[in-house]
Amino acid sequence: MKPKNMDKADFITSIFLVIFGLVIFLISIRMPTFRNLGANLYSAPGIVPTMLGLIIFILGMTLFFRSVARKGYKIDYSLNSIKKILIKRPIQRFLIALFLSLSSVFLLGKVDYFLLTGGYIFIFILAYELDIKKSILKQKAKIVFSLAEAILIAGSIALVFRYLFLVRLP
Amino acid sequence: MLQGLTELGQQLLGFLTIRYIFDILWSTQLGIIVGMLPGLTATMGVALMTTLTYKFTTDHAVLILICMYIGAIFGGSRTAILINIPGTPANAATTVDGYPLARQGRAGEAMGIATTGSFLGSLFGMVMLAVFTPIIGNAALNFYSFEYFWLTIFGIIICGTLTAPKDPLKGWIAGFFGLFVATIGMEGMHAYRRFTFGNIDLGGGIALLPAMIGVFGFSEVLITMKQPAIKIVSRKIEKVIPHPREILKYWSTIIRSGFIGTVIGAIPGVGEDIGAWVSYDFAKKASKQPEEYGKGSIEGVLAAETGNNAAVAGAIIPVLSLGIPGSAPAAVLLGAMIIHGIRPGPLLMIEHPDFVIQVVAMFFLATCAMFILGLMLIRVFIKILLIPRQRLMPVIFSLCVIGAYALSSRIFDIWVMAVFGLIGYVMKEMDYPVAPAVLGIILGDLLDKNLRRSLILTKGNIIPLFTRPISFILVLLIVFTIVSRMKFFEQTTSFFKNRLRLLLRGRVH
């Protein structure tokens, strides 16, 4: 990330950290002390989170003032700027990987493990290798090879974990 | 001394069975492959291997994990030399001179030197591990709650400072965020559920391994897919095995880098990458040919690789003696030891008196395997680098999923892995080091219990927290570490340095 963009990112992060630290602090001081049960006041479960909330708040404030001093608050959040980011090739590559991976996690336990893992690997490879401008028939070899890899890998993982490590697959 | 050597010999003999040798060879080789592949780190390798070995016996599992760890830290030098991308962060310093050597057609020579440096660094670290673990362990028996509390804070601060040298503030934020994550779930004194918001799964807390697999595995998958594809500059490997004279010429660099690597590795959470950079920097300053550094210096490659592999042993010293990891892979190793019923820390020497010497023996065998495999199979395994990332990364993610799930068979752990993968990705993109966060997750429980114990002992009086001798030293170190990174301190020291220089030149009267 460029230094200018980093200052903007720091500005947003600092606001998040300040709120995060405050929330931790407020939740922690409301935690029970168990004195009514005869427990020592200093064994209260909220002591350490209160301290951590305060420290995160202070560090967040430090980051906030620093980013303000570096003019990190000048954020361009127009629709155009977001579009510009989204059409960048690295961002698209990242979003494809993120979408496919999170979808597979979401489907775990709902679809058979072997099918899901095989399907995930197969779609993942094709998402990056398949050229949409070319006809599918011309890319037969790629598809067959990807399918073979997906079946082989998903089968190996399922078999090894199920029968060698005795893990009940999700 | 003689008794120690006899014990080491006995332990080594115990490991010399076909089954153990086979396991040493495959796990070290797998470690080298993991280290070689950009996007796969030593931490990820050790974490995934922990899930694969959790049904093995303790010595078997720890042996495989140590082999994986040493192999991976070494394996990263291959990619650093051939494609200018460190296979693991520990090999970043190797790229500075390794890649220029490859461009000069001396890739084989560079890899041979890197292998020898890694071997010697590991051996040096191993000796330090054998000598210093019992000493530090015995000293740590004098640590009470007060000292452990400050040791935890010191670990977070120093780790944050060293892993984010440009912006230590981000390192500290990452560390305290990790400490907070550790407070989620049921706490140990009253069984009170903190920050669970009624979620039963969160009641058990955030498990270390799924979080680490996410931070070091899933986030790397996302980062690797975002970056452009890599190209190998040189696949021609000629001379690999270096002449002993070439190595002996740099004996002082080897000893210096081994020492620096081990010491840096032993600092909580700092790790092999800093060990390599500091060793490299010292070697450059002490070199007779500093102008060659950055253009393909053999000495530079040797210093970096000796430093990072010595740091592996260094990182294990606090694991065994204090129960505090020196690096991220060492943190996973610590978790694996706990899973297998070993409680690392000052009581380890009492509860399992043979364990430290057993680890030293494992370390020696793994180092030898790394050296032999590293020199023999360079040409064969270099081909692995040709696997396209879009074919490798989904396999890695699938292993991350099953690895996070295997320990407790909970879908919740897979979500923990995914969430921490995203957190890790954001942190890396925004220059927040992830090592302090991981250290925080590990040390959180230690901090929580020891601060509350201290306050109970002193009836809420915080003065003893500062006045006990060891605590006082730790507080001073923490304050110095923080203040030394502040602008006014840097300005004041540079002002006095300039005055002193002028004074020595006789310009100020």
Side-chain angles (χ1 to χ4, degrees):
Chain A
M1 207 181 275
K2 288 174 190 166
K4 252 191 177 177
N5 290 339
M6 188 60 84
D7 292 332
K8 289 173 188 171
D10 284 349
F11 178 74
I12 298 167
T13 322
S14 68
I15 294 172
F16 167 76
L17 284 168
V18 167
I19 297 169
F20 185 59
L22 265 180
V23 171
I24 297 171
F25 177 78
L26 290 173
I27 294 175
S28 307
I29 53 167
R30 287 177 190 175
M31 283 180 188
T33 58
F34 297 105
R35 285 194 86 183
N36 53 340
L37 300 174
N40 191 307
L41 174 69
Y42 302 104
S43 70
I47 288 181
V48 172
T50 305
M51 180 190 83
L52 293 175
L54 264 178
I55 294 174
I56 292 173
F57 174 78
I58 294 166
L59 294 174
M61 284 301 279
T62 314
L63 191 65
F64 175 79
F65 286 122
R66 200 183 68 181
S67 61
V68 167
R70 291 175 183 173
K71 295 184 177 155
Y73 53 84
K74 287 186 175 173
I75 301 164
D76 174 19
Y77 49 83
S78 65
L79 207 65
N80 250 354
S81 63
I82 297 169
K83 262 186 197 167
K84 261 186 200 171
I85 294 170
L86 287 177
I87 56 164
K88 282 181 183 167
R89 197 72 192 106
I91 299 292
Q92 286 177 351
R93 279 200 303 262
F94 160 75
L95 287 175
I96 292 170
L98 181 70
F99 173 74
L100 290 175
S101 305
L102 289 184
S103 303
S104 83
V105 171
F106 181 74
L107 290 171
L108 268 171
K110 297 178 182 93
V111 180
D112 176 73
Y113 177 78
F114 170 73
L115 281 179
L116 181 66
T117 308
Y120 166 74
I121 296 172
F122 180 63
I123 296 169
F124 196 101
I125 296 170
L126 288 189
Y128 290 94
E129 285 196 354
L130 218 58
D131 190 344
I132 44 169
K133 287 171 193 161
K134 283 185 190 168
S135 102
I136 296 280
L137 285 173
K138 279 183 184 170
Q139 301 178 75
K140 254 190 315 192
K142 254 183 209 172
I143 297 170
V144 171
F145 193 71
S146 304
L147 188 66
E149 185 186 328
I151 293 170
L152 192 74
I153 300 289
S156 309
I157 294 175
L159 285 175
V160 166
F161 277 86
R162 177 75 188 86
Y163 295 106
L164 197 64
F165 301 117
L166 305 174
V167 174
R168 197 171 47 82
L169 296 172
Chain B
M1 171 93 179
L2 198 65
Q3 193 196 347
L5 284 173
T6 314
E7 277 177 33
L8 179 65
Q10 280 170 350
Q11 292 293 346
L12 282 172
L13 280 176
F15 284 120
L16 293 179
T17 64
I18 291 174
R19 171 81 200 272
Y20 277 121
I21 292 171
F22 175 69
D23 284 341
I24 290 165
L25 290 175
W26 73 255
S27 52
T28 309
Q29 187 55 58
L30 190 63
I32 295 173
I33 293 170
V34 165
M36 264 171 68
L37 293 167
L40 305 193
T41 59
T43 316
M44 191 209 281
V46 180
L48 288 175
M49 196 49 78
T50 302
T51 62
L52 294 177
T53 55
Y54 79 107
K55 290 212 168 151
F56 286 27
T57 57
T58 308
D59 54 347
H60 224 117
V62 175
L63 174 68
I64 289 172
L65 296 179
I66 287 177
C67 289
M68 165 65 82
Y69 186 3
I70 292 176
I73 295 295
F74 155 71
S77 64
R78 296 279 184 267
T79 350
I81 292 164
L82 288 171
I83 54 177
N84 201 24
I85 292 174
T88 69
N91 310 96
T94 312
T95 57
V96 182
D97 285 296
Y99 186 65
L101 280 169
R103 293 190 71 165
Q104 292 163 23
R106 295 163 70 192
E109 192 184 345
M111 285 194 274
I113 289 289
T115 310
T116 314
S118 298
F119 173 69
L120 295 171
S122 271
L123 282 187
F124 191 93
M126 186 196 79
V127 175
M128 301 272 274
L129 175 73
V131 173
F132 287 103
T133 305
I135 296 170
I136 297 172
N138 279 334
L141 286 172
N142 298 321
F143 280 30
Y144 291 94
S145 303
F146 312 91
E147 286 79 15
Y148 269 109
F149 166 72
W150 286 118
L151 193 65
T152 311
I153 300 287
F154 174 69
I156 293 295
I157 296 292
I158 193 83
C159 178
T161 308
L162 293 177
T163 52
K166 283 184 196 160
D167 194 354
L169 178 65
K170 290 187 174 177
W172 302 334
I173 290 172
F176 284 101
F177 170 72
L179 286 175
F180 164 72
V181 170
T183 64
I184 297 172
M186 200 182 282
E187 50 88 41
M189 285 190 181
H190 301 288
Y192 179 74
R193 289 161 185 254
R194 294 184 293 204
F195 309 106
T196 58
F197 308 105
N199 185 312
I200 296 166
D201 286 318
L202 269 178
I206 302 289
L208 174 69
L209 270 175
M212 285 191 83
I213 291 173
V215 165
F216 291 100
F218 183 32
S219 71
E220 284 297 334
V221 169
L222 295 174
I223 288 170
T224 308
M225 290 318 297
K226 191 182 169 189
Q227 285 163 353
I230 46 173
K231 284 184 184 126
I232 301 177
V233 64
S234 166
R235 280 164 61 191
K236 209 170 72 181
I237 310 294
E238 285 160 351
K239 181 195 164 198
V240 175
I241 301 171
H243 195 281
R245 220 181 307 142
E246 270 181 84
I247 302 296
L248 285 173
K249 204 164 79 177
Y250 300 115
W251 65 271
S252 59
T253 306
I254 293 165
I255 293 173
R256 189 193 319 105
S257 304
F259 181 75
I260 292 169
T262 316
V263 172
I264 297 278
I267 299 172
V270 174
E272 299 79 15
D273 44 346
I274 310 286
W277 278 117
V278 178
S279 302
Y280 180 84
D281 198 41
F282 270 80
K284 190 178 174 181
K285 279 176 187 156
S287 176
K288 286 171 190 161
Q289 295 127 349
E291 69 283 352
E292 273 187 26
Y293 278 69
K295 293 173 191 161
S297 162
I298 288 287
E299 193 182 13
V301 174
L302 194 65
E305 281 302 310
T306 307
N308 65 21
N309 266 74
V312 175
I316 298 177
I317 294 174
V319 167
L320 298 177
S321 56
L322 301 168
I324 291 172
S327 69
V332 190
L333 194 64
L334 172 73
M337 285 177 186
I338 294 167
I339 290 168
H340 285 280
I342 299 280
R343 200 159 54 112
L347 294 175
L348 182 70
M349 300 294 285
I350 297 161
E351 290 172 352
H352 302 277
D354 293 338
F355 190 70
V356 173
I357 207 77
Q358 209 172 18
V359 169
V360 175
M362 291 172 187
F363 212 89
F364 179 72
L365 293 168
T367 304
C368 292
M370 174 205 75
F371 187 58
I372 295 163
L373 294 168
L375 289 179
M376 276 172 58
L377 300 173
I378 284 180
R379 288 179 184 88
V380 181
F381 284 97
I382 224 70
K383 292 193 173 91
I384 289 167
L385 286 174
L386 301 174
I387 300 173
R389 60 190 172 154
Q390 66 271 17
R391 291 186 176 269
L392 188 66
M393 289 302 134
V395 180
I396 299 303
F397 181 74
S398 302
L399 286 173
C400 287
V401 168
I402 198 73
Y405 177 81
L407 278 179
S408 314
S409 298
R410 293 196 308 170
I411 296 276
F412 175 74
D413 284 337
I414 299 175
W415 279 109
V416 168
M417 182 276 295
V419 170
F420 274 82
L422 281 175
I423 293 173
Y425 171 80
V426 173
M427 285 176 76
K428 285 172 192 173
E429 282 290 301
M430 294 177 69
D431 283 352
Y432 284 85
V434 289
V438 171
L439 188 69
I441 300 175
I442 295 159
L443 299 182
D445 188 49
L446 201 69
L447 175 111
D448 186 24
K449 284 182 182 150
N450 285 297
L451 177 62
R452 287 196 276 166
R453 257 182 225 146
S454 309
L455 290 173
I456 292 168
L457 285 172
T458 61
K459 292 174 183 154
N461 183 3
I462 59 163
I463 292 170
L465 270 169
F466 297 89
T467 51
R468 290 171 59 88
I470 301 172
S471 294
F472 182 69
I473 294 168
L474 286 168
V475 172
L476 280 185
L477 284 172
I478 291 165
V479 172
F480 177 74
T481 311
I482 295 170
V483 173
S484 68
R485 298 312 306 259
M486 289 179 172
K487 248 188 187 168
F488 84 88
F489 182 86
E490 283 168 11
Q491 283 165 352
T492 316
T493 47
S494 66
F495 170 78
F496 280 113
K497 265 184 200 167
N498 284 338
R499 296 284 293 178
L500 193 70
R501 206 167 43 225
L502 291 170
L503 203 71
L504 290 173
R505 283 183 194 165
R507 288 184 193 173
V508 171
H509 303 285

